[in-house]
Amino acid sequence: MDEFKEKTEIIDETDKTCNSESESIILNDLPEKDIPKVTEEDKLGSILSTDPESTSDVIDCKELESTTGDTDKENEEWLDILGSGQLKKKVITPGEKDSRPERYHVCVIDLEGTLQDGTIVDKEEGFKFQLGDAEVIQGLDLAVPLMDHGEVAYIFVGPRFGYGSIGRPPDIPPNAEITYRVHLISSEPEPSVESLPALERKKIGNKKRERGNWWYTRDEHNFAIQCYRRALDFLDDIEGGIIVEPDKEESKPNEDELQDLLEDRLKVYNNLAAAQMKIKAYDTALASVQNVLRCQPKNVKALFRKGKILAAKGDTEAAIPVLRLASQLEPESKVIHQELARLVKQKKKDSEMEKNLYRKMFGQDKIEDSESTNAASKVNELDSSSVKKVEIS
């Protein structure tokens, strides 16, 4: 989903002073009698004999003033939301005053988004999304809270707050500027999570998880983490539980539905750990995989990620047995084998370096060298005595 872009030409403000002033003539040095008198006929003749080109210059300049004025007026109608020109809003039809949506409100909008060449790349009617939850591009998340119910507006979104340098193949190219025509139909507060049926919680939670996956594939890991955390709010049945009203006992979740919630929750924790690893938040990533392993001690993805996290934290010795277990559970995985082999090699290298360091610290290298020398001399002495014995016999 995304939105409608109208191309706006901004003409730089030009110098509005187009009529050149007459050059002042200093006549103080001339006698008064030598000062020529300018008659009315001379003035009229001067006007009539004016170069046609200079007259046209004055006309053109006035036209430019008019054009520039219109452009300035048009620019004033656009609200530059962040002051950078990358996100702007222009009201087409005002809405109900003081009815703007707030963060986490569920909004319903109609929208149409176009590129600069007029190509429509997004068109939605009755599109529902949760404000501030990264369910839409950042430009819309920032601009829609500035709209009133019933308002229709153009929202210009530059690449920074749209699809960036990646675009959205095949229809949105990299670094695209998009203008959206947005109609805010309604907005309402987020429903209480505990009051939602298990199936509804599963639906919303998985929608947020999938959106997190979309951000993850675009290397927008902070947005991915935001979506995964919000997904857990709907898929977690521990904090607050699931409240069932007395007259709706039939909607109480059964064991299978609760198991489904658990399975989906563990998927989110695994994905959350992967995103946290990308931003090198290793402690929180470790906590995420531990949440998975508490319920599923043999979850291969969680074991593999735990091994990589421990290795990244410098605990190679603890990482190796974790990866060995993952390798045993999934022996055909080349990725696990490669990571395990790398860590084993690294551990061996670290052990050698540690031994050499201790030798240098305690002078063991010199002792070993002297012991080797003494042993060699003893061998030589034995060889000499053996030779003598042979000669004697």
Side-chain angles (χ1 to χ4, degrees):
M1 98 93 257
D2 296 284
E3 301 116 349
F4 180 98
K5 152 89 174 86
E6 177 192 66
K7 180 179 176 183
T8 307
E9 271 189 334
I10 301 176
I11 302 175
D12 291 332
E13 185 171 348
T14 14
D15 184 8
K16 296 182 180 179
T17 307
C18 300
N19 295 320
S20 57
E21 295 180 0
S22 302
E23 237 179 273
S24 61
I25 304 173
I26 302 176
L27 304 174
N28 295 337
D29 293 338
L30 292 176
E32 186 174 300
K33 63 179 181 178
D34 294 333
I35 299 175
K37 294 182 179 180
V38 181
T39 64
E40 293 298 324
E41 289 80 8
D42 292 332
K43 292 180 181 178
L44 180 62
S46 174
I47 293 171
L48 293 176
S49 63
T50 302
D51 186 356
E53 290 185 4
S54 64
T55 305
S56 64
D57 287 343
V58 173
I59 294 172
D60 291 344
C61 195
K62 288 180 179 179
E63 288 177 353
L64 183 57
E65 283 183 5
S66 176
T67 305
T68 306
D70 293 342
T71 306
D72 289 342
K73 185 178 179 181
E74 185 178 354
N75 288 341
E76 288 175 2
E77 295 175 356
W78 283 92
L79 170 65
D80 192 344
I81 296 173
L82 300 175
S84 63
Q86 284 285 303
L87 184 62
K88 298 187 290 185
K89 172 180 171 281
K90 178 181 178 181
V91 177
I92 303 171
T93 305
E96 179 186 344
K97 289 185 178 180
D98 301 324
S99 59
R100 292 181 175 182
E102 298 178 7
R103 184 178 174 84
Y104 295 143
H105 275 200
V106 178
C107 299
V108 180
I109 61 173
D110 292 337
L111 68 90
E112 184 174 278
T114 60
L115 301 177
Q116 283 185 312
D117 62 3
T119 304
I120 298 175
V121 291
D122 277 310
K123 190 167 185 177
E124 300 281 352
E125 292 183 359
F127 177 75
K128 185 184 288 188
F129 72 99
Q130 194 157 13
L131 198 62
D133 248 6
E135 292 186 3
V136 291
I137 59 171
Q138 194 178 10
L140 290 178
D141 248 349
L142 294 171
V144 171
L146 302 177
M147 297 180 67
D148 292 314
H149 288 184
E151 180 179 324
V152 181
Y154 287 134
I155 298 174
F156 169 81
V157 181
R160 168 67 180 82
F161 301 100
Y163 291 94
S165 60
I166 301 175
R168 192 188 69 184
D171 53 347
I172 299 180
N175 299 313
E177 295 179 340
I178 307 174
T179 300
Y180 296 96
R181 187 181 191 275
V182 181
H183 174 205
L184 177 58
I185 299 171
S186 66
S187 71
E188 56 186 21
E190 176 187 36
S192 171
V193 178
E194 292 81 6
S195 65
L196 294 174
L199 289 177
E200 186 67 15
R201 290 177 67 163
K202 176 182 172 70
K203 179 182 176 182
I204 296 173
N206 282 325
K207 178 184 176 183
K208 294 183 184 297
R209 174 175 63 85
E210 288 165 6
R211 185 65 178 180
N213 294 346
W214 184 81
W215 285 115
Y216 184 91
T217 59
R218 297 175 62 82
D219 293 329
E220 296 277 3
H221 302 117
N222 286 314
F223 285 132
I225 290 170
Q226 179 183 344
C227 290
Y228 292 144
R229 289 196 181 281
R230 287 290 289 152
L232 289 172
D233 290 341
F234 290 87
L235 298 173
D236 195 344
D237 63 345
I238 297 174
E239 185 177 351
I242 298 178
I243 299 172
V244 180
E245 296 179 10
D247 59 339
K248 296 181 180 179
E249 284 292 327
E250 67 279 359
S251 65
K252 185 176 181 179
N254 56 40
E255 289 297 324
D256 290 338
E257 289 175 339
L258 290 176
Q259 184 62 31
D260 285 344
L261 277 180
L262 173 63
E263 294 288 339
D264 291 337
R265 183 163 71 249
L266 297 183
K267 288 179 185 177
V268 174
Y269 271 123
N270 246 332
N271 293 355
L272 176 60
Q276 289 165 335
M277 290 169 66
K278 289 290 186 180
I279 63 170
K280 299 182 179 180
Y282 296 121
D283 290 334
T284 53
L286 186 59
S288 296
V289 293
Q290 290 290 70
N291 283 325
V292 179
L293 294 172
R294 270 197 294 269
C295 299
Q296 295 179 347
K298 294 184 178 181
N299 187 299
V300 176
K301 281 187 178 180
L303 287 168
F304 175 65
R305 284 170 183 155
K306 181 179 179 180
K308 291 198 72 173
I309 292 166
L310 290 171
K313 286 168 65 69
D315 196 351
T316 307
E317 191 170 348
I320 289 174
V322 175
L323 289 175
R324 281 201 176 119
L325 177 57
S327 179
Q328 291 168 6
L329 293 170
E330 199 169 300
E332 68 278 4
S333 173
K334 293 182 179 179
V335 177
I336 297 175
H337 283 298
Q338 289 172 355
E339 184 66 16
L340 179 58
R342 185 185 73 80
L343 291 184
V344 169
K345 185 178 178 181
Q346 181 66 39
K347 184 184 177 184
K348 186 176 179 181
K349 183 180 177 181
D350 291 343
S351 297
E352 289 297 325
M353 289 178 64
E354 190 176 355
K355 286 178 182 178
N356 291 334
L357 180 61
Y358 281 126
R359 286 194 190 104
K360 289 179 180 179
M361 286 175 63
F362 298 105
Q364 286 295 112
D365 51 343
K366 295 179 181 180
I367 295 171
E368 287 182 0
D369 289 342
S370 62
E371 286 177 353
S372 300
T373 305
N374 293 336
S377 10
K378 286 180 182 179
V379 170
N380 292 334
E381 289 175 3
L382 288 172
D383 290 342
S384 301
S385 60
S386 299
V387 171
K388 287 179 182 178
K389 287 180 182 179
V390 170
E391 289 175 351
I392 291 170
S393 62

